[in-house]
């Protein structure tokens, strides 16, 4: 016969402002406190259930495709902390502890901390920082954009920049785009060579010429050691690059 939580234990768990589930030894959801019921009510459409109580008896594998969490439980190194994403929408931090009663393992208590909003806010902050780290500026030369790259150059930043820059090229009818590397502190991935070239080629397809400028000495060393090279027209600084653009426009 499956173990049942004592009523006094249930009352105690119901008083806690946490989402707590009791998982039996066969890894089925056997009980949940009142807070958990409210959480599951929010998710019942995704779980394809009518009421929160319908999850009782379900195996924990119903919530995810991977057996990673089950493997951790079977391994037995408690407490277990993990973060999972459900239905590509909900983010949860789970803490699992053994339920020991009279020196016998009676299953597990799982605390579910819903951190969906916090993770969404973190992503929004990350996007904002990416926006601030890759500004696109107008210059004194007509139809000429300046992109001052600052900090560590990563694949993610270049991918974000590509989308943003192509839109700005279209909106401003750009003839020239100056990529200024003087603020870059490091380049750590050899794949960046291909991303930089892809960015350059994409801008050219929009009808604009691409100029590089301001490569720091340390960055040049990093690029050489990583085998990164470019045949693009390059200048020592933005001043020389903008002079070149102005001279071309005056002809």
């Amino acid at each position: 016969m499956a173990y049942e939580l004592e009523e006094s234990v249930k009352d105690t768990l119901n008083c806690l402002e946490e989402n707590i589930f009791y998982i039996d030894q066969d890894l089925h959801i056997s009980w949940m406190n009142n807070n958990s019921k409210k959480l599951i009510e929010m998710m019942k459409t995704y779980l394809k259930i009518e009421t929160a109580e319908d999850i009782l008896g379900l195996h924990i594998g119903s919530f995810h495709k991977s057996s990673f969490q089950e493997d951790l439980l079977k391994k037995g190194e408690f407490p277990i902390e993990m973060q999972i994403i459900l239905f590509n929408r909900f983010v949860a931090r789970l803490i699992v502890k053994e339920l020991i009663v009279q020196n016998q393992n009676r299953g597990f208590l799982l605390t579910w901390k819903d951190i969906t909003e916090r993770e969404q806010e973190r992503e929004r902050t990350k996007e904002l920082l990416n926006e601030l780290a890759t500004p696109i500026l107008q210059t004194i030369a007509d139809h000429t954009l300046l992109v001052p790259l600052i900090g560590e150059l990563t694949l993610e930043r270049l991918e974000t920049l590509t989308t943003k820059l192509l839109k700005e090229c279209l909106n401003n009818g750009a003839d020239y785009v100056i990529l200024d590397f003087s603020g870059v502190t490091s380049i750590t991935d050899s794949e960046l060579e291909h991303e930089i070239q892809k960015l350059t080629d994409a801008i050219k397809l929009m009808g604009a010429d691409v100029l590089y400028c301001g490569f720091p000495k340390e960055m040049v060393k990093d690029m050489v050691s990583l085998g990164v090279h470019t045949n693009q027209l390059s200048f020592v600084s933005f001043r020389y690059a903008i002079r070149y653009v102005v001279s071309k426009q005056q002809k």
Side-chain angles (χ1 to χ4, degrees):
M1 182 176 178
Y3 177 78
E4 290 284 341
L5 290 179
E6 295 180 4
E7 290 301 318
S8 60
V9 174
K10 292 181 181 179
D11 290 341
T12 300
L13 295 178
N14 274 325
C15 291
L16 301 178
E17 294 184 1
E18 297 278 4
N19 306 309
I20 299 176
F21 297 81
Y22 166 52
I23 312 297
D24 66 24
Q25 291 175 302
D26 295 323
L27 306 185
H28 293 89
I29 301 171
S30 182
W31 181 85
M32 57 186 163
N33 69 350
N34 292 333
N35 256 37
S36 297
K37 291 179 183 179
K38 295 176 184 178
L39 174 68
I40 298 301
E41 279 292 327
M42 292 169 46
M43 301 175 58
K44 62 183 182 182
T45 300
Y46 301 92
L47 292 167
K48 298 179 180 179
I49 58 177
E50 293 184 4
T51 67
E53 283 78 6
D54 290 339
I55 72 162
L56 297 179
L58 291 181
H59 193 275
I60 62 171
S62 304
F63 288 83
H64 50 80
K65 297 179 181 179
S66 171
S67 63
F68 175 69
Q69 289 86 353
E70 297 172 50
D71 294 339
L72 285 177
L73 291 177
K74 292 175 183 178
K75 191 174 181 180
E77 295 180 359
F78 297 93
I80 298 171
E81 294 191 29
M82 65 186 86
Q83 183 167 309
I84 63 172
I85 299 176
L86 300 173
F87 315 113
N88 295 318
R89 179 180 177 88
F90 301 97
V91 184
R93 187 178 301 282
L94 307 182
I95 302 173
V96 185
K97 297 182 180 180
E98 282 185 295
L99 178 62
I100 304 296
V101 180
Q102 297 180 346
N103 296 320
Q104 292 186 26
N105 182 304
R106 296 298 188 178
F108 313 93
L109 287 180
L110 182 151
T111 302
W112 176 326
K113 298 181 181 294
D114 183 22
I115 57 173
T116 305
E117 290 187 7
R118 188 170 73 188
E119 288 300 306
Q120 290 174 342
E121 183 62 31
R122 181 183 295 178
E123 285 299 314
R124 285 193 290 268
T125 301
K126 188 176 180 181
E127 291 174 4
L128 177 59
L129 289 175
N130 279 334
E131 289 285 321
L132 295 174
T134 52
I136 299 174
L137 309 175
Q138 299 281 351
T139 68
I140 59 171
D142 293 336
H143 305 292
T144 302
L145 299 175
L146 167 65
V147 183
L149 297 166
I150 303 168
E152 182 181 353
L153 201 56
T154 64
L155 290 172
E156 183 180 16
R157 283 188 62 195
L158 279 178
E159 290 171 359
T160 301
L161 173 61
T162 298
T163 302
K164 181 180 176 183
L165 184 52
L166 293 181
K167 182 178 179 180
E168 289 299 313
C169 285
L170 180 63
N171 291 340
N172 292 278
D175 293 325
Y176 293 92
V177 174
I178 301 173
L179 299 179
D180 187 349
F181 294 86
S182 60
V184 173
T185 56
S186 63
I187 176 172
T188 57
D189 193 330
S190 59
E191 289 297 315
L192 285 168
E193 171 191 6
H194 306 295
E195 289 301 318
I196 292 172
Q197 191 58 54
K198 282 170 58 178
L199 172 60
T200 300
D201 292 341
I203 295 171
K204 287 181 177 179
L205 286 175
M206 299 292 291
D209 289 332
V210 182
L211 309 178
Y212 298 158
C213 72
F215 284 109
K217 291 181 181 180
E218 290 303 316
M219 183 179 175
V220 172
K221 291 179 182 178
D222 289 340
M223 292 177 68
V224 171
S225 65
L226 291 171
V228 179
H229 62 277
T230 177
N231 296 320
Q232 202 64 30
L233 192 60
S234 183
F235 298 86
V236 173
S237 67
F238 168 70
R239 182 175 64 177
Y240 287 98
I242 199 66
R243 280 182 180 177
Y244 171 83
V245 172
V246 172
S247 66
K248 295 289 286 185
Q249 289 180 338
Q250 289 178 343
K251 290 183 179 180

